């Protein structure tokens, strides 16, 4: 498997950057995980056509994870009308909030499927399961397993015990890292860099990638705070880079 980083900021981008979006591929399948602002144009630079996508998974319906879906649906729906494609792309998302979920569809752009914590998707020998995170709306972490290797994408969450359990001995943990410890408040719904390091250490992950970083932060400061707790392989999920799993 490989994962290409299409955006690594949250909840708004750096100049020239993008918010959450990751292209997961193996030899047969292409799956887009989240589709935040700025992701669509970068995705189109990586694939020949949207028809190449086998599925889209939206971890939750905050706009920094879905806003380019609202534009992608025009691309697909209008091209269907023009007879350029008849494919509806399977799209999986939690239906919370319902009014936002109802806005995802346009024409027959997508085959909509509601996600829940029991959902299991299989693409060849890739198995994808989900864990409920701790965030203001229903949010799922995405766990991908293939040939004994595990890739975990946390989506957005504050600290919760299931983070460690689901990340246990992951080959690659793509973890949200939205805050520095000094900026963390009681009601924060995101992880601090220190907490990310702790999760990676307790879960004994092989490699840690940091994403969903507040765009005003110095990336070295974020990295250094993670390294206080985690001595393993860690780097920023640099936009447009591809990582092997
Ligand atoms: Zn977010
Ligand atoms: Zn969120």
């Amino acid at each position: 498997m490989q994962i290409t980083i299409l955006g690594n900021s949250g909840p708004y981008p750096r100049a020239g950057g993008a918010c959450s979006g990751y292209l997961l591929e193996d030899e047969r399948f292409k799956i887009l995980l989240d589709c935040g602002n700025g992701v669509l144009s970068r995705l189109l630079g990586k694939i020949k056509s949207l028809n190449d996508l086998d599925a889209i998974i939206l971890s939750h319906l905050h706009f920094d994870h879905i806003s380019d879906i609202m534009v992608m649906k025009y691309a697909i729906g209008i091209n269907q009308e023009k007879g350029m494609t008849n494919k509806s792309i399977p799209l999986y998302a939690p239906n919370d909030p319902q009014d936002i979920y109802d806005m995802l569809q346009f024409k027959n752009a997508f085959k909509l499927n509601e996600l829940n914590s029991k959902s299991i998707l299989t693409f060849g020998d890739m198995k994808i399961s989900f864990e409920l995170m701790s965030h203001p709306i229903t949010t799922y972490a995405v766990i991908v397993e293939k040939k004994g290797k595990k890739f975990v994408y946390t989506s957005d969450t504050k600290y919760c015990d299931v983070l460690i359990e689901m990340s246990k001995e992951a080959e690659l943990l793509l973890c949200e890292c939205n805050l520095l410890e000094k900026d963390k408040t009681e009601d924060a719904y995101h992880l601090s860099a220190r907490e990310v390091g702790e999760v990676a250490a307790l879960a004994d992950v092989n490699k840690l990638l940091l994403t969903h970083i507040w765009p005003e932060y110095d990336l070295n400061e974020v990295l250094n705070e993670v390294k206080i707790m985690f001595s393993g392989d860690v780097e920023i999920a640099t936009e447009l880079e591809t990582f092997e799993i």
Side-chain angles (χ1 to χ4, degrees):
M1 293 185 284
Q2 56 184 38
I3 188 92
T4 299
I5 312 301
L6 301 171
N8 70 6
S9 290
Y12 64 98
R14 288 170 193 267
C19 286
S20 296
Y22 314 94
L23 180 62
L24 173 69
E25 297 170 272
D26 71 356
E27 58 286 348
R28 281 178 63 197
F29 298 100
K30 295 187 193 310
I31 299 164
L32 179 64
L33 305 179
D34 283 345
C35 191
N37 43 294
V39 167
L40 178 58
S41 67
R42 287 185 165 170
L43 175 68
L44 291 171
K46 290 285 171 189
I47 60 178
K48 287 199 290 294
S49 131
L50 291 173
N51 273 343
D52 293 352
L53 285 181
D54 295 289
I56 299 166
I57 296 170
L58 302 178
S59 64
H60 68 304
L61 301 186
H62 277 157
F63 290 160
D64 53 327
H65 299 251
I66 66 163
S67 44
D68 269 10
I69 283 291
M70 302 301 176
V71 181
M72 187 194 286
K73 67 184 179 183
Y74 298 146
I76 302 165
I78 290 168
N79 285 342
Q80 285 170 339
E81 280 193 334
K82 288 180 185 289
M84 293 165 67
T85 177
N86 57 12
K87 182 175 174 179
S88 301
I89 300 174
L91 187 154
Y92 301 84
N95 65 342
D96 170 39
Q98 184 73 49
D99 57 338
I100 306 289
Y101 183 83
D102 292 342
M103 287 170 65
L104 297 174
Q105 185 65 289
F106 174 73
K107 310 283 184 189
N108 295 310
F110 303 115
K111 269 196 212 95
L112 280 182
N113 301 275
E114 291 176 16
L115 273 184
N116 62 59
S117 52
K118 292 195 178 71
S119 300
I120 293 184
L121 311 179
T122 50
F123 298 88
D125 56 3
M126 243 190 312
K127 180 187 142 208
I128 304 182
S129 56
F130 302 88
E131 284 285 353
L132 185 64
M133 295 289 94
S134 189
H135 203 51
I137 57 174
T138 305
T139 301
Y140 293 112
V142 180
I143 298 119
V144 185
E145 290 163 284
K146 179 184 165 99
K147 291 181 181 161
K149 285 190 173 174
K150 183 162 72 168
F151 161 66
V152 177
Y153 164 48
T154 62
S155 184
D156 290 4
T157 188
K158 67 176 180 182
Y159 195 92
C160 54
D161 290 338
V162 69
L163 273 172
I164 296 157
E165 194 50 44
M166 73 180 190
S167 307
K168 230 23 187 195
E169 293 171 5
E171 185 67 20
L172 183 66
L173 172 63
L174 176 62
C175 195
E176 81 118 284
C177 191
N178 197 233
L179 298 168
L180 289 170
E181 193 67 24
K182 66 179 168 64
D183 296 326
K184 208 183 83 183
T185 54
E186 266 305 293
D187 57 352
Y189 273 96
H190 291 283
L191 294 168
S192 73
R194 188 186 174 89
E195 289 172 323
V196 172
E198 191 181 325
V199 168
L202 291 173
D204 194 22
V205 304
N206 190 50
K207 184 179 178 75
L208 171 63
L209 280 181
L210 310 176
T211 193
H212 202 284
I213 297 164
W214 195 50
E216 311 298 335
Y217 282 153
D218 178 291
L219 296 175
N220 281 325
E221 202 177 343
V222 173
L223 208 46
N224 288 337
E225 188 173 300
V226 171
K227 286 178 178 173
I228 294 170
M229 302 302 288
F230 182 61
S231 57
D233 184 0
V234 54
E235 58 183 291
I236 302 292
T238 304
E239 293 179 348
L240 297 176
E241 271 196 27
T242 297
F243 297 87
E244 293 293 329
I245 302 161

